[in-house]
Every structure is written in structure tokens, then in C-alpha cells.
Amino acid sequence: AALVNAIRGAKRADQESEIIKRFVMIGNPRRVRRLSKKLPFLKGYANGKEEAESALRQYFHERGCIIKPSFIYGGDGINIQPPRIPNDLGNIASEVLGMYPLQALSDLLPDALAVPL
């Protein structure tokens, strides 16, 4: 709800002068969204992202941009909401999971196994 409110507030501020050139937000790929909706502790997070993406498209049309990475890493610890792993682990995971054989395999796997790839 907070992100949806921020998008609405930006649109109100932008209505008269179109001062916002581009509104960029981080979304989720479809597989991540489907899997998140099946996990009770991530369902609200997934629904919130879906609502925010819809609001961005509604209010900013072609000026809205949604980036959908498969996973995000940064910081010093593991977080559940938003899902994130620490820098050190993320750097290693990015190198290994970005290898072509693993990427090709992910297309054949169900969501629960493919999302980390």
C-alpha cells in the first residue's frame, strides 16, 4: 500500500507540469510472483507489488518503467520482506546462477526450483 500511495502522490504532484520524466520501480518476474503468492509470509508482499505495478501503468503509462530482477542482493543480512541475500553471498550466487547451463535448466523446472536460478 505504501508504494501505491507513493505512486499516487507522485502523480498528483506531476498532474499540472509533468515534472516527472520517468518513474522507475522494482517489480517481480511472473515466476517469483506466482511462487510468492503461494507462501503465506510473502503473499502480502507479492500482492502489494502487483497493485503498485498496476498503479504505475495506470498513472504514468509510457513514463513508467518496471524492472523485474530474479533476485536482489545487498546489505549485510538475509531479509524475508523484501527477499534479499547479503552482498558476499549474492556476488557468488550471481556468478554461478548466471552461467548458461543453469539458466537453460531453469526454463524446464517448476517455479519453486527455477526462481533461485
Side-chain angles (χ1 to χ4, degrees):
L3 186 52
V4 172
N5 289 337
I7 292 167
R8 287 180 183 146
K11 182 57 180 173
R12 279 192 299 275
D14 185 63
Q15 276 180 325
E16 291 180 21
S17 60
E18 290 196 2
I19 58 173
I20 298 173
K21 303 284 185 233
R22 172 89 49 202
F23 194 117
V24 180
M25 70 168 277
I26 305 294
N28 305 115
R30 281 193 183 108
R31 286 185 130 173
V32 171
R33 182 88 34 87
R34 281 195 309 257
L35 180 61
S36 295
K37 285 184 171 189
K38 293 176 185 175
L39 302 172
F41 62 94
L42 287 176
K43 190 173 184 177
Y45 171 80
N47 289 337
K49 283 288 190 178
E50 200 166 70
E51 289 174 29
E53 289 179 16
S54 177
L56 183 67
R57 284 191 287 281
Q58 177 185 351
Y59 296 129
F60 286 95
H61 309 285
E62 69 281 348
R63 291 186 297 147
C65 177
I66 303 167
I67 299 170
K68 298 183 176 189
S70 57
F71 77 68
I72 297 174
Y73 59 94
D76 297 326
I78 295 174
N79 293 327
I80 298 298
Q81 291 187 344
R84 180 179 20 204
I85 59 175
N87 273 334
D88 295 343
L89 186 56
N91 287 331
I92 294 167
S94 181
E95 290 295 321
V96 173
L97 297 177
M99 297 170 69
Y100 174 75
L102 292 176
Q103 288 297 306
L105 176 63
S106 74
D107 292 338
L108 304 173
L109 296 173
D111 292 342
L113 298 174
V115 164
L117 296 178

